[in-house]
Amino acid sequence: MAAAASPARELTQNPLQKTWEPYDNGLPAGHSAQRGVCMTNCPTLIVMVGLPARGKTYISKKLTRYLNWIGVPTKEFNVGQYRRDLVKKYKSFEFFLPDNEEGLKIRKQCALAALNDVRQYLSEENGHVAVFDATNTTRERRETIYKFGEENGYKTFFVESVCVDPEVIAANIVQVKLGSPDYVDCSNDEATEDFMKRIECYKNSYETLDENLDKDLSYIKIMDVGRSYLVNRVMDHIQSRIVYYLMNIHVTPRSIYLCRHGESELNLKGRIGGDPGLSVRGKEFAKSLAQFINEQNIKDLKVWTSQMKRTIQTAEALGVPYEQWKVLNEIDAGVCEEMTYEEIQENYPLEFALRDQDKYRYRYPKGESYEDLVQRLEPVIMELERQENVLVICHQAVMRCLLAYFLDKPAEQLPYLKCPLHTVLKLTPVAYGCKVESIFLNVEAVNTHRDKPEAWTGREKKP
Amino acid sequence: MAAAASPARELTQNPLQKTWEPYDNGLPAGHSAQRGVCMTNCPTLIVMVGLPARGKTYISKKLTRYLNWIGVPTKEFNVGQYRRDLVKKYKSFEFFLPDNEEGLKIRKQCALAALNDVRQYLSEENGHVAVFDATNTTRERRETIYKFGEENGYKTFFVESVCVDPEVIAANIVQVKLGSPDYVDCSNDEATEDFMKRIECYKNSYETLDENLDKDLSYIKIMDVGRSYLVNRVMDHIQSRIVYYLMNIHVTPRSIYLCRHGESELNLKGRIGGDPGLSVRGKEFAKSLAQFINEQNIKDLKVWTSQMKRTIQTAEALGVPYEQWKVLNEIDAGVCEEMTYEEIQENYPLEFALRDQDKYRYRYPKGESYEDLVQRLEPVIMELERQENVLVICHQAVMRCLLAYFLDKPAEQLPYLKCPLHTVLKLTPVAYGCKVESIFLNVEAVNTHRDKPEVLMLMPLSMAVVPC
């Protein structure tokens, strides 16, 4: 390690994030990295592998959503989409026949176009991870992609999905293929028949990742929708996190219910944070929630709360076991705890202004930011992925973070998602995304939502 | 889900942990569970599988240490140890020959004695996880154990280590077998020769976990010291955490350096917490640390700090890149931040007394407990396991938590581990544990350590609790 005898540099505290950064002659200096949820040194290229209808796009989209949420810039590149953009109208499975020269040419062209966009994203646009979503079922194709990765200084990690259960494949076809643009003019039976023949086109040339032939590659092979996994040569932190995530997700139908605690005494006074109890209306809401949950008739519902009194009081009304998670506690507003927004603006005008400038990264003095919250909530998301039916009774900022994960909302929008009191959001995974139902439980409450101010200089006082 | 129309129960706040618990007629009621790091519903029986010298005991001990640290009561049961207790003197590998009736009888007896202790630990002593450390190389033996698990309501998870690399096996023998009580009177060569024959005794009957024959079992098969893994039917949260941990550990030699920031301005005033800068002596220490690190000549050293000014200032003196982790921040003392202990005792006498009663679980009002710290630090431990040479510049309470993990110290001792200022602890994994070297860098600093008071006089709550 190089001996550096240079004098210690000055540290100044970034006013937005409250982090200490070194300055050299008045300019920000290098050397000091903030540990995001994970540091990626060189970009990662994730390559999906598998026959059609094995869940590759499902996994690609879900993994991309997760990585972006934890702060790793990720983008997926679906080669089928490139093909649809190039060949305007899909005719039939014959396009995919192994001896269709025209088809092969177009498909190779699309793969290369996608790889080119991957290169642009990772090498020019500061992307950290690219997910290359295609069948990639031959060793030859995978070698081409691996070389591409090597040439560009990317680490390549393969994700293969192997499944032979005809019921699973049929269910996939119903979920995501019948509604595909390829089959917009077909009946369900016609589409299914054509798609089955499409799968057959790939089967003869399919070379699954092999323990011996591919022993030097980094990969995870997912078998039977997660019944078992073969993991080979995990190279770094991000690959380890990806493996952990993929091993925790499942496809069993279920619903996740998100809501806030009932209205609290401090809510009534327009004050933030603290550890108050429920107001009269908040207790009403808790009873309504109990009734609602009963009517939903949910199988094996797990109930989670924070360790703050208001969520626990709300759960108590349900009369069922619940688990308290400290990491579900509301964002810590530090010196601003229990203040009104007017008091904050009066006593900390700079802080008030900074928060509206970048609400996601803004950290309260001696408190937290939304960015901190996301890092704190990652184990909750991981356990939500493992679980089936869950009701999470939490807080405004916390609920915004969880919602942003399920609805794939970016950091800029996250702090402004609408999560009103006394309203349950029911999230049900469907196709590649999440259906949201919003149910207001008919007990009035104050509105705690603040929109992003429209246009202002940052110097004038907000009305 | 049952419709419960009972009125909402009263909540009271536990004075020690500051958690809200429901009370029914003045008595603690059920229903409300604190989420520890993971909730285990029924006990888990982990069963090691593999030929001798494949790292089973290494994995057993490490996994046990990790699970206990994150708050899951875990105990390992090494059948070889039961054998050594029963058969006082080990003679030779012939004890393990597959046709040695006497040997087989004793070995089966030991396995059953160990299983009986497992049952007592999991079913009577509130253990959550038991690690059954033996070769368990035949399907028949594993079925016996699986049935035992089923009868007792345990979930069984197998951990198999498969390795054919002769260099790895030779290194294992040197690390942990030559020093075994079995070979206390042998030369290294004699011991190695005997042990290699011992391994041979198992090979003929070895039935590795099979993708088809064992497809209904829950297991992880670790191949070539972690190069690849086969994972089958992970059933619940704790198994998922175990798999994640096992997939992140490695055996590459390396050292972990732990130290605190240099002495801070608040340290000098006897005040806790805050975000102060370094004192003059603290800056001296930072320079000494830079010199020390240089002299150590460490390959590819990673340097981690918290996001508090004093650790970052310390790292700045090293002149190398470092990473700031918010989760390495010192324990949050809530309303007591920046107070002296005298001020705390004066303004919050009850809090002061409670902390000395149970320092691990005690949570400062609007702050944290050591127990909270451990949960917050778990990703740091996981990443330390993945990494090689790392220097962690942190804080007293944080360093105590990390040290307790590496040195397998229980919760009661953790908050009293000695982590003085200006002292680097160098931890080097060796055999089944960790070697510690303590290096004081010769720059004086205040002492911030408080021992557990000897006698606590508990008076009625209306009066203060006075530690002697």
Side-chain angles (χ1 to χ4, degrees):
Chain A
M1 209 163 85
S6 44
R9 302 173 293 187
E10 281 306 305
L11 291 177
T12 46
Q13 193 174 37
N14 171 309
L16 181 80
Q17 294 174 292
K18 311 301 188 289
T19 45
W20 291 97
E21 288 152 7
Y23 272 70
D24 229 339
N25 294 329
L27 292 165
H31 271 198
S32 174
Q34 304 302 328
R35 176 141 193 127
V37 183
C38 44
M39 303 301 294
T40 41
N41 300 324
C42 64
T44 302
L45 173 60
I46 297 176
V47 181
M48 302 304 300
V49 180
L51 293 173
R54 263 56 178 180
K56 295 185 301 300
T57 301
Y58 175 83
I59 291 168
S60 298
K61 287 181 180 289
K62 208 169 159 73
L63 185 57
T64 298
R65 174 161 60 89
Y66 168 72
L67 290 173
N68 277 312
W69 185 76
I70 62 171
V72 180
T74 304
K75 195 170 169 189
E76 37 131 12
F77 298 83
N78 178 282
V79 175
Q81 194 48 51
Y82 283 73
R83 187 259 307 157
R84 275 184 281 274
D85 292 343
L86 192 63
V87 182
K88 300 299 170 196
K89 179 106 185 71
Y90 173 78
K91 293 200 186 65
S92 82
F93 75 96
E94 288 174 0
F95 179 82
F96 293 96
L97 282 166
D99 55 3
N100 180 345
E101 295 280 347
E102 180 75 16
L104 287 169
K105 195 173 133 204
I106 291 172
R107 288 155 71 193
K108 179 135 198 183
Q109 192 182 338
C110 291
L112 292 174
L115 281 181
N116 194 44
D117 287 352
V118 163
R119 196 195 42 73
Q120 186 170 325
Y121 178 67
L122 294 181
S123 300
E124 294 167 31
E125 290 173 16
N126 289 319
H128 284 206
V129 178
V131 184
F132 187 70
D133 178 17
T135 48
N136 299 315
T137 39
T138 63
R139 192 157 283 112
E140 186 209 351
R141 170 56 57 90
R142 297 194 291 266
E143 265 175 41
T144 306
I145 299 167
Y146 186 85
K147 281 204 190 80
F148 162 84
E150 270 198 316
E151 283 162 13
N152 286 285
Y154 310 149
K155 284 187 188 166
T156 302
F157 187 77
F158 294 92
V159 176
E160 180 174 17
S161 174
V162 174
C163 181
V164 295
D165 183 341
E167 280 186 35
V168 171
I169 294 157
N172 287 354
I173 293 175
V174 168
Q175 275 261 320
V176 297
K177 300 298 180 187
L178 299 185
S180 155
D182 290 347
Y183 297 114
V184 73
D185 294 323
C186 300
S187 75
N188 284 355
D189 285 343
E190 286 167 347
T192 305
E193 196 188 327
D194 183 274
F195 198 82
M196 294 304 288
K197 290 184 186 149
R198 203 153 112 181
I199 298 176
E200 285 306 308
C201 294
Y202 287 87
K203 277 192 175 169
N204 280 348
S205 60
Y206 182 19
E207 296 168 293
T208 186
L209 287 169
D210 181 81
E211 272 187 79
N212 290 316
L213 296 173
D214 298 305
K215 62 176 166 56
D216 289 332
L217 298 180
S218 298
Y219 66 84
I220 178 171
K221 189 192 269 206
I222 305 167
M223 294 167 279
D224 295 321
V225 205
R227 182 147 300 164
S228 60
Y229 307 87
L230 180 63
V231 179
N232 198 61
R233 290 192 190 264
V234 170
M235 298 302 292
D236 59 13
H237 179 91
I238 189 73
Q239 290 183 16
S240 163
R241 295 289 289 275
I242 289 165
V243 164
Y244 184 43
Y245 181 73
L246 292 178
M247 289 177 63
N248 280 317
I249 61 180
H250 67 77
V251 294
T252 311
R254 48 82 173 252
S255 288
I256 293 166
Y257 298 79
L258 301 180
C259 71
R260 292 166 65 187
H261 52 83
E263 184 190 67
S264 76
E265 292 291 350
L266 284 187
N267 287 143
L268 274 181
K269 296 177 186 162
R271 297 185 171 282
I272 65 171
D275 193 16
L278 298 180
S279 66
V280 169
R281 298 193 298 193
K283 291 173 183 168
E284 276 303 309
F285 165 73
K287 290 192 200 132
S288 295
L289 182 65
Q291 190 180 351
F292 169 76
I293 291 296
N294 263 322
E295 286 161 5
Q296 287 276 307
N297 217 9
I298 307 154
K299 170 176 165 261
D300 296 329
L301 180 73
K302 298 266 169 77
V303 179
W304 298 350
T305 69
S306 71
Q307 281 189 357
M308 294 180 142
K309 188 176 187 186
R310 52 199 187 276
T311 57
I312 298 166
Q313 267 184 300
T314 308
E316 273 289 309
L318 305 180
V320 297
Y322 56 90
E323 251 184 75
Q324 300 183 15
W325 293 64
K326 184 175 191 276
V327 293
L328 282 173
N329 282 4
E330 181 57 315
I331 192 171
D332 184 356
V335 301
C336 300
E337 278 283 319
E338 303 199 39
M339 289 188 169
T340 63
Y341 285 114
E342 288 76 26
E343 284 168 358
I344 299 174
Q345 191 171 17
E346 203 178 298
N347 292 297
Y348 300 98
L350 177 61
E351 296 296 328
F352 191 81
L354 283 169
R355 188 155 205 254
D356 280 331
Q357 263 184 44
D358 188 343
K359 197 174 176 189
Y360 184 74
R361 277 167 207 81
Y362 170 81
R363 186 183 283 171
Y364 281 104
K366 303 191 179 177
E368 294 177 303
S369 62
Y370 272 94
E371 194 172 24
D372 295 329
L373 258 196
V374 161
Q375 191 171 356
R376 151 147 91 79
L377 288 168
E378 200 264 351
V380 175
I381 289 297
M382 196 64 85
E383 190 58 18
L384 278 172
E385 287 294 346
R386 288 197 54 79
Q387 291 289 343
E388 293 185 16
N389 293 317
V390 185
L391 164 66
V392 185
I393 305 172
C394 55
H395 304 267
Q396 183 167 246
V398 168
M399 188 164 158
R400 284 171 169 155
C401 293
L402 299 179
L403 194 60
Y405 167 76
F406 288 108
L407 301 187
D408 202 18
K409 298 294 185 188
E412 300 70 49
Q413 294 177 29
L414 185 159
Y416 298 101
L417 294 176
K418 284 207 164 72
C419 294
L421 286 166
H422 299 185
T423 306
V424 179
L425 293 186
K426 178 178 176 179
L427 305 165
T428 311
V430 70
Y432 294 135
C434 224
K435 178 174 91 168
V436 197
E437 293 166 68
S438 173
I439 308 112
F440 173 60
L441 289 191
N442 220 11
V443 177
E444 290 306 311
V446 298
N447 173 21
T448 57
H449 187 88
R450 284 186 74 244
D451 272 312
K452 190 177 167 80
E454 285 225 348
W456 60 304
T457 63
R459 275 187 275 277
E460 66 244 24
K461 241 184 172 180
K462 285 299 294 169
Chain B
M1 209 164 82
S6 45
R9 301 170 295 188
E10 281 306 305
L11 291 177
T12 47
Q13 194 174 37
N14 172 309
L16 181 79
Q17 293 174 291
K18 312 300 188 289
T19 45
W20 291 97
E21 291 152 12
Y23 272 71
D24 229 338
N25 294 329
L27 291 166
H31 271 200
S32 175
Q34 304 302 326
R35 176 143 193 124
V37 184
C38 43
M39 303 302 294
T40 42
N41 299 326
C42 62
T44 302
L45 172 61
I46 297 176
V47 181
M48 302 304 299
V49 180
L51 293 173
R54 264 57 179 179
K56 296 186 300 299
T57 302
Y58 175 84
I59 292 168
S60 298
K61 287 182 181 291
K62 209 168 156 76
L63 185 57
T64 299
R65 175 161 59 89
Y66 168 72
L67 290 173
N68 277 312
W69 186 77
I70 62 172
V72 180
T74 305
K75 195 170 170 189
E76 37 135 8
F77 299 82
N78 179 282
V79 175
Q81 195 48 51
Y82 282 74
R83 188 258 307 157
R84 276 185 278 275
D85 292 342
L86 192 63
V87 181
K88 299 301 170 198
K89 178 112 185 68
Y90 173 77
K91 293 199 184 65
S92 84
F93 75 94
E94 288 174 358
F95 179 83
F96 293 96
L97 283 167
D99 53 5
N100 180 345
E101 295 282 346
E102 180 73 15
L104 287 169
K105 195 173 135 208
I106 290 172
R107 289 156 70 195
K108 178 134 199 187
Q109 191 181 337
C110 291
L112 292 174
L115 281 180
N116 194 46
D117 288 351
V118 162
R119 195 196 42 74
Q120 185 170 327
Y121 178 67
L122 295 181
S123 300
E124 294 167 31
E125 293 172 14
N126 288 319
H128 283 207
V129 178
V131 185
F132 187 70
D133 179 18
T135 48
N136 298 316
T137 39
T138 62
R139 192 156 282 114
E140 186 210 350
R141 172 55 58 90
R142 296 195 290 265
E143 265 175 41
T144 306
I145 298 167
Y146 186 84
K147 279 205 190 81
F148 163 84
E150 269 197 316
E151 283 161 12
N152 287 284
Y154 310 151
K155 284 187 187 165
T156 303
F157 187 77
F158 294 92
V159 177
E160 181 176 16
S161 174
V162 174
C163 181
V164 295
D165 184 341
E167 280 184 36
V168 172
I169 294 154
N172 287 354
I173 293 175
V174 167
Q175 276 260 324
V176 297
K177 300 297 178 185
L178 299 183
S180 155
D182 290 346
Y183 296 115
V184 72
D185 294 324
C186 301
S187 75
N188 284 355
D189 284 344
E190 288 167 341
T192 305
E193 194 186 328
D194 182 272
F195 198 82
M196 296 303 289
K197 291 186 186 148
R198 203 154 113 178
I199 298 176
E200 285 306 309
C201 294
Y202 286 87
K203 276 191 176 170
N204 280 349
S205 58
Y206 182 18
E207 296 169 293
T208 185
L209 286 169
D210 182 81
E211 271 186 78
N212 290 315
L213 297 172
D214 299 304
K215 63 176 168 50
D216 289 332
L217 298 180
S218 297
Y219 66 84
I220 178 170
K221 190 193 267 205
I222 305 168
M223 292 166 283
D224 296 321
V225 203
R227 181 149 299 168
S228 59
Y229 306 88
L230 181 63
V231 179
N232 198 61
R233 288 191 189 265
V234 170
M235 297 304 292
D236 60 13
H237 179 92
I238 189 71
Q239 289 182 15
S240 162
R241 295 288 289 274
I242 289 164
V243 163
Y244 184 43
Y245 181 73
L246 293 178
M247 290 177 59
N248 280 316
I249 62 180
H250 67 78
V251 294
T252 311
R254 51 78 173 255
S255 288
I256 293 166
Y257 298 79
L258 301 181
C259 70
R260 292 164 66 186
H261 52 84
E263 183 190 69
S264 76
E265 293 291 352
L266 284 187
N267 286 143
L268 274 180
K269 297 178 183 160
R271 294 183 175 282
I272 65 170
D275 193 16
L278 298 180
S279 67
V280 169
R281 299 195 295 194
K283 292 173 182 167
E284 276 303 307
F285 164 72
K287 289 191 198 128
S288 295
L289 182 65
Q291 191 179 348
F292 169 76
I293 290 298
N294 262 321
E295 287 162 3
Q296 286 276 307
N297 216 8
I298 307 154
K299 171 177 166 262
D300 294 329
L301 180 73
K302 298 265 169 77
V303 179
W304 297 351
T305 69
S306 69
Q307 281 189 356
M308 295 180 141
K309 188 177 186 183
R310 52 201 187 277
T311 57
I312 299 167
Q313 267 184 300
T314 308
E316 274 288 310
L318 304 180
V320 296
Y322 56 90
E323 252 185 74
Q324 299 183 18
W325 292 64
K326 183 172 192 278
V327 293
L328 282 173
N329 282 4
E330 181 57 315
I331 193 171
D332 183 357
V335 301
C336 299
E337 278 283 318
E338 302 198 40
M339 289 188 169
T340 63
Y341 285 114
E342 289 74 27
E343 284 168 358
I344 299 174
Q345 189 171 17
E346 202 178 298
N347 292 295
Y348 300 96
L350 178 59
E351 296 297 328
F352 190 80
L354 283 168
R355 188 155 205 252
D356 282 331
Q357 263 183 47
D358 188 345
K359 197 173 176 188
Y360 184 74
R361 277 166 208 83
Y362 171 81
R363 185 184 282 170
Y364 281 104
K366 302 192 181 178
E368 295 177 300
S369 63
Y370 273 94
E371 193 173 25
D372 295 329
L373 257 196
V374 162
Q375 192 171 355
R376 152 147 90 79
L377 288 169
E378 199 263 351
V380 175
I381 288 298
M382 197 63 84
E383 190 58 18
L384 278 172
E385 286 294 345
R386 289 197 54 77
Q387 292 288 342
E388 292 185 18
N389 292 317
V390 186
L391 164 65
V392 185
I393 304 172
C394 54
H395 304 266
Q396 183 169 245
V398 169
M399 187 163 159
R400 283 172 170 154
C401 293
L402 299 178
L403 193 60
Y405 167 75
F406 288 109
L407 302 187
D408 202 17
K409 298 294 185 188
E412 300 70 51
Q413 295 178 27
L414 187 159
Y416 298 102
L417 294 176
K418 285 203 164 73
C419 295
L421 287 165
H422 299 186
T423 305
V424 179
L425 292 186
K426 178 179 177 180
L427 305 165
T428 311
V430 69
Y432 294 135
C434 225
K435 178 173 90 167
V436 198
E437 294 165 68
S438 172
I439 306 110
F440 173 59
L441 289 192
N442 221 8
V443 177
E444 290 305 313
V446 297
N447 174 21
T448 57
H449 187 86
R450 283 188 74 246
D451 273 312
K452 189 177 165 82
E454 292 229 339
V455 177
L456 292 171
M457 291 195 301
L458 290 169
M459 296 189 238
L461 227 56
S462 53
M463 305 166 82
V465 173
V466 179
C468 304

